[in-house]
Amino acid sequence: MIKLVMGDLAEKRVKSGVQLIDGRDFLDQIVTDGVVSLVNQKGAFLGTAYLSRQNKGIGWVLSREAIEVTEDYLIHLFKKAKQKRRQFEMSDLTTAYRLFNQDGDNLGGLTIDRYGDYALFSWYNSYIYRQKELIISAFQKVFPELKGAYGKVRFKSDLPESSYLYGEEALNPFEILENGVRYSVFLNDGLMTGIFLDQHEVRGSLVDGLALGKTVLNMFSYTAAFSVAAAMGGAIETTSVDLAKRSRELSQAHFKANGLGLENHQFVVMDVFDYFKYARRHALKFDVIVIDPPSFARNKKQTFSVLKDYHKLIAQALDILSPRGIIVASTNASNMTTQQFKKQIQKGLGKIKYQFIDLKQLPGDFTVNKNDESSNYLKVFTIKVNQ
Ligand code: SAH
């Protein structure tokens, strides 16, 4: 096996339990794509890793011990991952959740989600993708109850983004349950599925009282999952705003799945900044405003980055928020800490009175590596505004 020498800082990181490997971690030039042995500058063994370029980092530590990635090894990882999600497995109210989460389950570069009776694999680099037969075989031994599976390629390649992997084919679309609410999902159409599972708990809070009797504005709504959760939680009106034309049809599918009429629910295909202007002009007010932008966005007029521009969204939301209204401010930007995000929000809130009443991060099925805060990307603040 190839031995790679790590620099002092990288050695410290590996010893502290960080699994993600950075391009600057090695003294030698890296050309390999596969399993390697890590050593320090004195030649002492540090761990087993694999190298493979992906969106973030160039590889992952597999273990601090000398191991081989065999079917038995993967079975062991999948059994441990399954054990951690017992509570989800037992639930009748939630049928979609993450079964395996990268370094949180000791194998970076791979996630597996459960959507009802189906599994959805995401391959984040070519090494993981090349192990797919072995991974699937081990997975089927630990999860024989699942009927079929699909896969998503999340690294640069000529492969199709989405493909069928094994078993029965899923209906397209079909319904899953979360906190007792139905969502319409599709497993084999690009990289998206119609729902972001990492927001379980935020949707849960909307179902469980936050939206009761309220008017709700959902900005960057995608398939309006937050709006459906709010409607099922007793919201009297919802308005969902997204630039993508397809969002309207996908949003309505979630509402129909729950037998909700559409009279009090609006779907607006518009740039959120234009909608803020429109709402101000028409003196619209909302009791709850949910804001969940992509980390970066570009339209014809401007670029938007969560890191620099989130405060503008908050400031504009204040103009159309009812007295004592609530803002739910979400971001999945991994290049920003919770404190930095809070500062952006405070900058937007300015001098008015407010209280931060809740912070939600990744839910329990999205296990994170406790030794590496950078994998804990989701931050969702609930703020009560006293204006
Ligand atoms: N809140 C959603 C996920 C949002 S994903 C959920 O919980 O499911 C980000 C969405 O922002 C995408 O659907 C994209 O079409 C939309 N978007 C990006 N830039 C936008 C803009 N300037 N105005 C409105 N929508 C935008």
Side-chain angles (χ1 to χ4, degrees):
M1 199 187 295
I2 298 178
K3 269 191 195 169
L4 285 175
V5 183
M6 301 201 97
D8 287 343
L9 266 180
E11 175 181 355
K12 263 197 202 127
R13 273 223 309 283
V14 170
K15 284 185 170 162
S16 75
V18 173
Q19 293 176 38
L20 187 66
I21 296 176
D22 195 88
R24 292 158 298 186
D25 283 352
F26 297 104
L27 301 180
D28 318 317
Q29 183 76 21
I30 307 305
V31 283
T32 184
D33 187 309
V35 177
V36 298
S37 182
L38 304 174
V39 295
N40 70 8
Q41 294 186 66
K42 294 187 183 124
F45 178 78
L46 290 175
T48 313
Y50 77 83
L51 298 186
S52 195
R53 282 197 183 279
Q54 59 172 57
N55 171 30
K56 67 170 188 180
I58 60 155
W60 296 91
V61 175
L62 289 164
S63 170
R64 297 293 313 286
E65 299 182 3
I67 59 134
E68 269 181 65
V69 182
T70 59
E71 185 166 318
D72 280 348
Y73 180 73
L74 293 168
I75 287 176
H76 165 74
L77 291 185
F78 289 149
K79 279 190 175 156
K80 277 215 299 216
K82 190 174 194 181
Q83 193 66 36
K84 289 188 211 164
R85 278 105 175 153
R86 285 287 288 167
Q87 182 201 340
F88 288 89
E89 200 181 336
M90 306 298 287
S91 167
D92 291 332
L93 295 179
T94 297
T95 62
Y97 52 93
R98 182 146 290 189
L99 292 174
F100 193 89
N101 197 38
Q102 309 228 41
D103 46 339
D105 289 299
N106 285 306
L107 179 57
L110 174 69
T111 65
I112 310 171
D113 293 323
R114 179 173 184 159
Y115 283 86
D117 291 333
Y118 297 87
L120 188 74
F121 291 73
S122 287
W123 324 106
Y124 282 84
N125 58 57
S126 70
Y127 168 79
I128 281 289
Y129 184 76
R130 291 198 307 278
Q131 311 308 310
K132 88 177 191 295
E133 309 300 327
L134 198 63
I135 290 172
I136 289 170
S137 169
F139 180 81
Q140 286 181 297
K141 295 203 168 93
V142 182
F143 292 90
E145 64 275 26
L146 297 188
K147 286 188 191 151
Y150 293 85
K152 307 286 182 196
V153 170
R154 295 184 186 273
F155 57 95
K156 263 199 203 122
S157 83
D158 298 331
L159 297 160
E161 282 182 337
S162 179
S163 61
Y164 160 84
L165 293 179
Y166 71 81
E168 281 180 32
E169 296 221 28
L171 290 175
N172 183 35
F174 74 99
E175 286 169 16
I176 52 110
L177 267 180
E178 182 197 80
N179 308 308
V181 179
R182 289 178 191 282
Y183 296 90
S184 173
V185 299
F186 38 92
L187 296 189
N188 200 10
D189 184 357
L191 292 178
M192 314 280 258
T193 63
I195 191 161
F196 288 102
L197 295 179
D198 54 2
Q199 296 276 14
H200 294 307
E201 292 183 352
V202 180
R203 285 187 294 267
S205 68
L206 290 163
V207 176
D208 280 344
L210 193 61
L212 183 65
K214 304 276 171 68
T215 57
V216 176
L217 175 63
N218 180 4
M219 295 303 238
F220 305 94
S221 57
Y222 177 44
T223 63
F226 287 136
S227 309
V228 183
M232 292 300 280
I236 48 176
E237 270 174 36
T238 70
T239 303
S240 305
V241 182
D242 197 290
L243 202 54
K245 281 210 182 65
R246 196 171 167 219
S247 64
R248 186 194 302 261
E249 170 204 337
L250 298 176
S251 303
Q252 291 178 349
H254 286 329
F255 276 82
K256 283 190 194 125
N258 292 285
L260 290 164
L262 297 180
E263 310 79 50
N264 302 317
H265 305 291
Q266 275 201 53
F267 309 96
V268 184
V269 176
M270 201 187 274
D271 185 292
V272 295
F273 288 102
D274 291 338
Y275 188 80
F276 277 129
K277 273 188 225 144
Y278 168 90
R280 264 200 312 269
R281 248 195 345 262
H282 291 81
L284 302 183
K285 294 279 175 194
F286 299 91
D287 303 330
V288 177
I289 303 181
V290 183
I291 307 172
D292 181 30
S295 303
F296 299 97
R298 193 170 284 133
N299 69 12
K300 281 173 226 141
K301 286 172 258 166
Q302 58 190 342
T303 57
F304 170 88
S305 99
V306 162
L307 195 60
K308 294 201 306 277
D309 303 315
Y310 207 101
H311 67 99
K312 295 179 193 162
L313 292 170
I314 299 289
Q316 305 219 22
L318 285 183
D319 293 341
I320 57 168
L321 187 70
S322 308
R324 287 176 298 284
I326 284 174
I327 296 179
V328 177
S330 167
T331 182
N332 59 7
S334 58
N335 61 343
M336 196 180 199
T337 64
T338 307
Q339 275 318 308
Q340 284 172 317
F341 183 45
K342 192 170 187 179
K343 282 212 178 105
Q344 270 289 316
I345 297 172
Q346 285 168 326
K347 184 171 170 188
L349 290 168
K351 294 214 159 58
I352 57 154
K353 285 206 174 120
Y354 55 80
Q355 268 170 289
F356 280 82
I357 55 175
D358 187 34
L359 167 64
K360 291 208 183 328
Q361 299 216 250
L362 287 173
D365 49 330
F366 282 67
T367 47
V368 291
N369 176 1
K370 290 191 191 66
N371 302 313
D372 185 358
E373 257 308 295
S374 76
S375 62
N376 201 357
Y377 57 86
L378 186 71
K379 304 164 263 291
V380 188
F381 282 108
T382 305
I383 307 129
K384 197 167 186 339
V385 175
N386 302 312
Q387 64 175 353

